[in-house]
Amino acid sequence: MKRLLLAATIGFFAIGMTFAQVNKKPTPGTDGNKFVPYENRTGNESVVYFTRQLSAEGLINAYEQVNEKIVGHVGVKLHTGEQNGPNIIPREWVKALMQKDLPQANIIETNTYYQGDRYTTEQHRKTLAVNGWTFSPVDILDEQGTTTLPVNGGKWFTKMAVGSHLTNYDSMVALTHFKGHTQGGFGGSNKNIGIGCADGRIGKAWIHTTPGQPNQWDLREEEFMERMTESTKATIDFFGDHVTYVNVMRNMSVSCDCEGKAAAPVVTPNVGILSSTDIVAIDQACVDIIYAMTAEEHHDMVERIETRHGLRQLSYMKELGMGNTRYVLIDLDNGGRRITAADAVKGLKPFVQKKQ
């Protein structure tokens, strides 16, 4: 049975990649290691809300600015973390948000591509219990296999394999712990959706691995960013207007939450919580806030972003028409006035690890 399943998976992987890629291998974009200042960007401005209140109340306030079109059966896409990971969004914050505003929603996740605490559904459910995600139903989207969604306008894929349960939902809330990422440079809403909704065996393989390569993680830099972004586009196109984004800039290790207790120590100061209905604008605003910090405060994070060419996530999302890199940043703590990224980082305090 295991051999048959493996053969079927490999066959689907090969067929999917043949179908997904165009006749000639595309050329990745460039300059994923070059930050574009705000004044050099073009296009319209979207609205991004910001609060310095890193608390359940702050999370609720940020979400309630952008929840108008969250209707029906709702999935809250959350990175629930490896066992005892120290940096994930505090469970009590998520519990308070869901009890107040999303009482009928499910947390949604997928199994991992790497072998670890969430590789199989059985392992994943044990990890969810260890990490305290017990106050809400958690739907492991690929528990019963995969489905595919079209990738409109992509150059690497024409479809993306996602957990089959994803299409059971009417709306999605991307609740994201913004941090660094070993391969993506940074992990914002784009990573949370593009990797986090792709199923653990097929979709994630299409994003990470060239078929036949012994290195599971051989796709890197601009090509990886573009593949991940096309995966995100498939999911958000499915939900249309019924998707919204909240990014929590807290405990920002340069490592992803996938690394759990092995994550690099946090040295970047905590900042606050952002929300928007524009995925490009919210991830861009978080990156701008990082760059607006002092050199000492942002050194490790900027190095991680630029060495991985992670800024290509932002430029490619814009190229695909997923949103705007320009935005109006609204300060929820001061009467809703417009501020800049530099205003958002005034008076930051050095990071101190706190118990959840």
Side-chain angles (χ1 to χ4, degrees), residues 32-313:
N33 60 338
K34 296 179 181 178
F35 177 73
V36 178
Y38 194 93
E39 58 270 19
N40 294 344
R41 301 172 201 162
T42 59
N44 295 326
E45 289 183 321
S46 296
V47 177
V48 178
Y49 298 94
F50 171 72
T51 177
R52 300 163 190 79
Q53 303 305 310
L54 284 162
S55 62
E57 293 74 21
L59 183 64
I60 290 167
N61 189 20
Y63 169 72
E64 289 181 350
Q65 310 305 312
V66 295
N67 67 346
E68 181 180 1
K69 294 186 178 180
I70 301 303
V71 297
H73 189 31
V74 181
V76 179
K77 178 59 192 72
L78 183 69
H79 195 313
T80 53
E82 296 299 300
Q83 290 191 16
N84 299 306
N87 298 323
I88 57 177
I89 299 174
R91 292 158 292 277
E92 290 304 313
W93 297 9
V94 181
K95 181 179 180 180
L97 170 67
M98 294 185 70
Q99 287 181 343
K100 183 176 187 296
D101 289 320
L102 297 159
Q104 303 302 317
N106 292 343
I107 292 171
I108 57 176
E109 265 277 33
T110 55
N111 293 320
T112 60
Y113 184 41
Y114 58 86
Q115 295 198 31
D117 293 339
R118 299 178 298 134
Y119 184 66
T120 67
T121 297
E122 181 181 12
Q123 291 171 313
H124 202 154
R125 293 211 176 277
K126 289 179 180 177
T127 298
L128 290 166
V130 168
N131 283 351
W133 302 109
T134 56
F135 55 84
S136 165
V138 180
D139 185 354
I140 298 175
L141 298 176
D142 53 345
E143 182 173 9
Q144 295 177 304
T146 68
T147 190
T148 58
L149 298 175
V151 177
N152 299 310
K155 65 181 180 182
W156 300 100
F157 303 115
T158 57
K159 66 178 182 179
M160 176 49 57
V162 299
S164 63
H165 294 183
L166 184 67
T167 56
N168 295 338
Y169 293 88
D170 303 303
S171 300
M172 182 172 72
V173 176
L175 179 53
T176 302
H177 172 219
F178 186 90
K179 65 278 181 187
H181 191 269
T182 301
Q183 202 148 344
F186 69 90
S189 289
N190 187 41
K191 183 269 173 188
N192 187 16
I193 297 172
I195 303 298
C197 291
D199 74 283
R201 300 296 174 270
I202 300 166
K204 287 182 174 68
W206 291 354
I207 297 166
H208 283 288
T209 312
T210 302
Q213 288 292 320
N215 178 5
Q216 187 178 15
W217 315 105
D218 74 300
L219 294 174
R220 297 176 180 274
E221 298 184 346
E222 281 84 359
E223 181 173 344
F224 171 75
M225 308 307 161
E226 292 174 4
R227 288 171 176 265
M228 174 171 60
T229 298
E230 290 188 15
S231 175
T232 298
K233 190 174 191 298
T235 290
I236 67 172
D237 282 355
F238 171 77
F239 286 107
D241 290 341
H242 303 295
V243 56
T244 201
Y245 313 94
V246 180
N247 285 3
V248 179
M249 298 187 74
R250 169 192 176 274
N251 286 39
M252 292 182 287
S253 171
V254 298
S255 303
C256 179
D257 294 333
C258 299
E259 297 181 52
K261 292 187 290 185
V266 177
V267 296
T268 307
N270 289 338
V271 178
I273 302 173
L274 294 85
S275 61
S276 183
T277 56
D278 183 327
I279 188 173
V280 186
I282 192 170
D283 276 2
Q284 180 73 69
C286 289
V287 169
D288 289 350
I289 285 171
I290 295 294
Y291 274 81
M293 294 177 181
T294 67
E296 182 180 3
E297 290 169 336
H298 74 195
H299 175 272
D300 287 21
M301 189 69 73
V302 167
E303 181 181 53
R304 176 56 56 96
I305 292 170
E306 293 184 354
T307 57
R308 272 55 172 186
H309 294 219
L311 297 166
R312 181 57 179 155
Q313 293 186 52

